[in-house]
Amino acid sequence: MRRRFNVNKALEVFQQLEEEGESASSSSTDDSSCSDEEAEDQAFTPGPDSGEEMEEGSDEEVVAAEERWDHPLWQSKSGIAWSPTPDTRIPFRAPDVRHCGITRLAVSYIQTIEDSFDFFLTTTILDVIIKYTNIEGRRKYDDWTDVDRVELRALFGLLILAGVHRSRGESSASLWGEETGRPIFRATMSLGRFHMLTATLRFDDRLTRAARRLVQQDKLAPLREVWDLWAARLPLAYNPGEDVCVDEQLVGFRGRCNFKQYMPSKPAKYGIKLWVVCDVATSYAWGIIPYLGKTTRDAPAEREAGGAGTHGGSERPHCHHGQFFHLAGSWRGAAKKKICLVGTVRRNKPELPPQLLQMKSRAVLSSLFGFTSTATAVSYIPKRRRNVLLLSTKHHQVQIQEGPQQKPTVIIDYNRCKGAVDNLDKLVATYSCRRKTRRWPMSLFCNMLDVSAYNALVLWLSVEPAWNQQKRSIRRRLFLQELGTSMVRPAQARRTRLPRSSSAAALLEVQQQVEPGPAQEQTKKRCHLCRGKRSVHARFYHACGQAVCKEHSTVVCSACSC
């Protein structure tokens, strides 16, 4: 029987462990500084999502094993006994990986580049956005024309193309300009319609939002319905490999938001924090949970609401490992959840023994290990007065890599896997479709488009690995270019009037595959007699082959020609 790993449970465990770590650090009296490598990264090794007990035994067996140690133990402030030797360390054994990579469901679904993106942005999501956007548009504009799937997809395609041109900070008027803009924008829709759609784009009913926030206690109410539908698609398309990484992503936003975070280590500083699960090999975003604020005992449902958007499973019961954030005292609870953890630990954690914190009497490049029955802690001295602390529930032996640095294997594995989410953040920011906005749901939705576009690239290369193989350095830009172009083509094909811009009109003529006929020759043009002094529209006449305005033309009776 194949057992499945639950993404929602794993992310909730990490969020709970982080909050327990923050409360433990606030009660500690040790104010020592942290090492520069102690980033708040995390990785985990999820096992099967079943109710079976772990192989390391119950808490009573663990205590009994600690009492049987013959050598002196290291006692921490929290009462945990550590041993300098791995005599009774119980290894973490996980089943083998059954399958990793793209799923059969995604393979059967994806035929084109556009299909790989549509796997995440489904028609159900589009219909929800169309419903609430039309409701908001009718309230806001008297001459509102209802949006449909073709026009909404064209809007998303233009946002993606704006990201391809790296026009995140460029004004929309410049994108639609005759001299500074691109013809594909003017050929798809007018600038006024683009402004109208972006101003009315909604993901819920604005009038019922306050009641839903009050009843459901959900801070993500303006985006909850769309977020749940989108996040549920992420684990269905791809199974991560042996290593996965859990880390923070900050979506930059400086407007009003009651769960906005300040993270000085991030480039944006202020924004919405997301917990992201990524595959280490491909940086595929496998699961995402928004951080809606620290939970309290009076409001335990807030964490459940924040984690409801990421659910589903993956058919790979093998233990996965990567970075783990600054927590040292809850590895037993994580082991009961079938999760194996590897990552850095802060010095002020009361679970660490004082022997691992000492630096004065130790040589440079030396390593000191501490063991319990379920966890391994290592203290490494990379240089004078610098101590790097790591915790692992995967490693159970004293292993040091040979070389000039003499790093423990725990640090080698940590450095190998810690950058998956950071790599995703870097790739997404390179061609981001985010625009300047005062509404945080719009900012978060643009990040959903960016992540979906990158995940679509991973899926497409899994289906077609030889696609643009000779252009590996720019394959992502070519992918986004083709994706955005394919999304705007249906809207261009159904335009009944050509735009005034000659370049945009030429692009539409090629797209619609029609030759300019009499109906198009009779479109309004400039009067050749005004000599450009006034901006007057004129009618084209076949007799003289010129455009003449009303002031330079006379009415002639067709019956008497007088």
Side-chain angles (χ1 to χ4, degrees), residues 163-364:
V164 171
H165 298 296
R166 299 192 179 185
S167 302
R168 179 179 177 181
E170 186 176 358
S171 65
S172 55
S174 177
L175 290 175
W176 263 261
E178 180 69 26
E179 298 180 356
T180 61
R182 286 84 178 173
I184 192 171
F185 290 90
R186 299 188 297 273
T188 304
M189 65 176 64
S190 64
L191 177 60
R193 183 61 176 176
F194 178 80
H195 284 163
M196 189 179 295
L197 290 178
T198 53
T200 57
L201 193 65
R202 293 294 184 274
F203 315 101
D204 73 326
D205 191 353
R206 178 169 49 88
L207 299 183
T208 63
R209 184 181 303 166
R212 285 183 283 111
R213 277 178 171 172
L214 182 62
V215 175
Q216 301 176 4
Q217 296 293 321
D218 187 9
K219 297 180 181 179
L220 202 68
L223 194 62
R224 172 59 65 189
E225 185 176 359
V226 174
W227 179 272
D228 288 352
L229 294 172
W230 174 77
R233 303 290 294 179
L234 298 180
L236 300 181
Y238 197 84
N239 291 328
E242 182 181 0
D243 301 316
V244 294
C245 173
V246 179
D247 198 1
E248 301 165 335
Q249 180 191 20
L250 188 68
V251 180
F253 183 74
R254 288 180 175 266
R256 276 187 167 185
C257 182
N258 56 359
F259 52 92
K260 180 175 60 179
Q261 302 293 316
Y262 171 67
M263 302 177 66
S265 61
K266 298 292 184 179
K269 307 294 183 184
Y270 293 91
I272 302 172
K273 185 171 75 170
L274 306 175
W275 287 114
V276 184
V277 183
C278 278
D279 177 39
V280 171
T282 61
S283 292
Y284 177 91
W286 192 50
I288 301 180
I289 281 185
Y291 180 72
L292 304 179
K294 185 175 181 180
T295 59
T296 59
R297 295 182 180 179
D298 298 334
E302 184 172 319
R303 188 179 70 249
E304 300 296 334
T310 310
H311 55 274
S314 177
E315 298 179 357
R316 42 132 210 58
H318 188 271
C319 226
H320 300 268
H321 115 95
Q323 297 82 1
F324 172 47
F325 44 76
H326 54 275
L327 184 63
S330 300
W331 61 86
R332 290 182 180 177
K336 293 179 182 178
K337 300 288 186 179
K338 309 298 187 295
I339 297 175
C340 185
L341 309 174
V342 178
T344 56
V345 188
R346 294 189 182 274
R347 290 177 52 86
N348 57 0
K349 297 303 173 182
E351 293 84 358
L352 294 177
Q355 288 80 359
L356 295 178
L357 306 179
Q358 295 178 359
M359 293 182 291
K360 294 183 179 180
S361 59
R362 294 177 54 188
V364 179

Side-chain angles (χ1 to χ4, degrees), residues 392-410:
S392 172
T393 59
K394 175 185 178 182
H395 304 82
H396 55 276
Q397 295 292 337
V398 177
Q399 297 177 345
I400 299 178
Q401 188 183 46
E402 297 181 359
Q405 298 296 326
Q406 300 180 8
K407 292 183 179 180
T409 307
V410 180

Side-chain angles (χ1 to χ4, degrees), residues 56 92 139 152 158 160 181 214 225 293 297 311 344 373 423 475:
E56 48 261 13
F92 184 92
R139 293 171 181 166
L152 187 63
L158 292 180
I160 293 175
L214 182 62
E225 185 176 359
R297 295 182 180 179
H311 55 274
T344 56
S373 61
N423 182 58
R475 275 203 295 186

